[in-house]
Amino acid sequence: MAAPKPTRTRRKMQRVTIMDVAARAELSPSTVSLYFRKPDAVSAAASESIARAIEALDYVPNLMAGGLAAASSRVVSIIVPSVRNAFFAETVAALQDELGKQRLQVMLSHTEYKEHDEENLVRTALSWAPAAVVLTGLSHSAATRRLLRDSKVPVVEIWELGSQTMDMAVGFHHDQVGRTAASHLVQRGRKRLLFLGARLHEDRRAALRAQGFVETARNVPDVTAEIIRHPAPASAEVGAMLLGEALHRFPNVNGIACSNDHIALGVIFECQRLGITIPEQLSVVGFGDLSFSAASNPSLTTIRPPGDLIGKEAARLIIARILRSDGEPEQAVIDTRFTLLHRQSS
């Protein structure tokens, strides 16, 4: 007789369940479930027991399974224009820190300033039954607005305020940023003004800053103002190129505002190369107060947006909406404002 063929045995991987965690912590499964859904509703002693049990068992909660029972997951979808932009990185970090205190997880994606990409990302996010969706700005496609309206998911629009808020919003008015920059340069005695902007055809908020700048400047007697654009993303190299075009077209320019600090840094570098003194011959104002702005030579006058405060306030609105159980809350709009930092460049 032929020898019997060897048989393969499969080792079953036993998944740790919420029941196992409850038994280890000597608490009810409902208390453990509440720990994941509403941690503030669980006592400190119970929370500590559950945390120890989770660590001992290497338990990984199935957030989607819990979400199906509660009609939403513990995931907050955050969609920003660019993950490379330091402005948004600060806001996302603050959001994640605050949401994490409620055991809400962050799903981050970026659009590269394209509305169609944002629409696809929103569609994907909604398939996860998110606890909330965070969008950047107020400009979205009609399809995106319809998807979010029909989903009934809480929505927070960040970094911009205006009249088109879908649900909740945290930010400031970008046209006022431009107006503030123009007023500052006029007060410094500058009358031939330019706004240098990168990607204004896609970056609606930068375009609003440019619009506010020229409108305010042109309302002052004997003051002129123009906008010079470059289609590429903001960088010091683009700032240098924009200054070159500015000097060619408007050689008598004596005040410049930039769409962000990267552009302003390029202007400073190019002025040094050309022997143009700042601020004696040319005043420069940026936007963003990035890490190099105070340390540049000369130090850069700029407008600081409160990126971390925007993240914290957006998280607070999301948490309040999730925890609220007495009906639909009123629309929440928070104006974080901004700060002009006067330094050596103006």
Side-chain angles (χ1 to χ4, degrees):
M1 293 180 60
K5 292 182 179 179
T7 59
R8 292 183 180 179
T9 59
R10 292 184 179 178
R11 181 185 175 188
K12 291 185 177 180
M13 297 299 292
Q14 191 171 12
R15 178 177 175 82
V16 179
T17 69
I18 197 170
M19 304 292 288
D20 299 318
V21 175
R24 178 92 179 196
E26 298 183 342
L27 294 165
S28 68
S30 61
T31 301
V32 178
S33 176
L34 188 62
Y35 171 85
F36 288 111
R37 293 183 291 107
K38 295 183 179 181
D40 286 348
V42 179
S43 70
S47 294
E48 186 177 348
S49 296
I50 294 168
R52 285 199 303 265
I54 290 170
E55 183 177 0
L57 296 172
D58 287 333
Y59 175 65
V60 178
N62 186 338
L63 296 176
M64 282 307 297
L68 292 174
S72 66
S73 69
R74 301 292 294 175
V75 172
V76 174
S77 172
I78 302 175
I79 302 174
V80 297
S82 173
V83 294
R84 293 186 293 270
N85 192 313
F87 306 149
F88 305 126
E90 184 180 25
T91 299
V92 170
L95 261 164
Q96 184 165 347
D97 285 346
E98 295 300 314
L99 294 173
K101 295 173 184 177
Q102 296 294 325
R103 296 186 179 83
L104 290 163
Q105 304 299 316
V106 164
M107 180 169 64
L108 177 64
S109 50
H110 72 128
T111 67
E112 283 300 332
Y113 295 90
K114 294 178 175 60
E115 281 193 359
H116 180 69
D117 287 357
E118 181 186 65
E119 180 184 323
N120 289 334
L121 289 168
V122 166
R123 204 178 295 273
T124 299
L126 292 177
S127 70
W128 287 80
V133 173
V134 178
L135 300 178
T136 307
L138 303 179
S139 179
H140 317 288
S141 70
T144 293
R145 291 179 176 276
R146 184 177 63 254
L147 284 167
L148 291 168
R149 182 182 64 247
D150 293 346
S151 73
K152 309 296 184 184
V153 169
V155 177
V156 184
E157 294 165 290
I158 57 173
W159 273 86
E160 184 180 358
L161 296 185
S163 60
Q164 297 179 312
T165 302
M166 281 189 282
D167 183 6
M168 300 175 281
V170 181
F172 51 93
H173 296 276
H174 285 259
D175 62 326
Q176 292 180 4
V177 173
R179 296 181 191 283
T180 298
S183 296
H184 174 76
L185 289 171
V186 170
Q187 290 168 6
R188 306 300 294 172
R190 307 305 180 178
K191 293 189 174 182
R192 302 294 174 259
L193 307 184
L194 294 177
F195 187 97
L196 308 186
R199 215 177 196 174
L200 298 185
H201 62 296
E202 294 177 324
D203 188 345
R204 177 179 181 271
R205 289 168 298 284
L208 286 171
R209 297 196 290 274
Q211 180 182 338
F213 180 86
V214 297
E215 287 179 355
T216 296
R218 289 172 180 174
N219 281 331
V220 180
D222 300 325
V223 172
T224 62
E226 302 292 339
I227 300 172
I228 299 182
R229 310 161 185 263
H230 195 287
S235 67
E237 181 181 9
V238 168
M241 288 190 290
L242 282 169
L243 179 64
E245 182 180 350
L247 294 174
H248 175 72
R249 293 173 55 188
F250 305 98
N252 62 344
V253 58
N254 57 16
I256 284 178
C258 303
S259 58
N260 70 31
D261 286 357
H262 288 293
I263 299 295
L265 185 65
V267 169
I268 290 174
F269 286 162
E270 187 67 2
C271 282
Q272 291 171 345
R273 191 182 72 82
L274 296 174
I276 298 172
T277 57
I278 298 174
E280 291 79 8
Q281 293 175 267
L282 183 66
S283 290
V284 181
V285 177
F287 172 77
D289 192 30
L290 298 178
S291 58
F292 58 80
S293 303
S296 65
N297 186 24
S299 58
L300 177 62
T301 294
T302 188
I303 293 175
R304 176 191 292 165
D308 57 343
L309 178 61
I310 291 172
K312 290 177 181 178
E313 288 297 304
R316 185 178 64 80
L317 291 179
I318 291 168
I319 292 166
R321 178 69 65 88
I322 292 172
L323 296 180
R324 190 179 177 112
S325 60
D326 56 347
E328 284 294 317
E330 295 296 322
Q331 182 185 67
V333 176
I334 298 174
D335 189 345
T336 59
R337 304 187 183 278
F338 51 84
T339 305
L340 176 85
L341 301 174
H342 183 201
R343 296 184 180 130
Q344 296 171 342
S345 70
S346 66

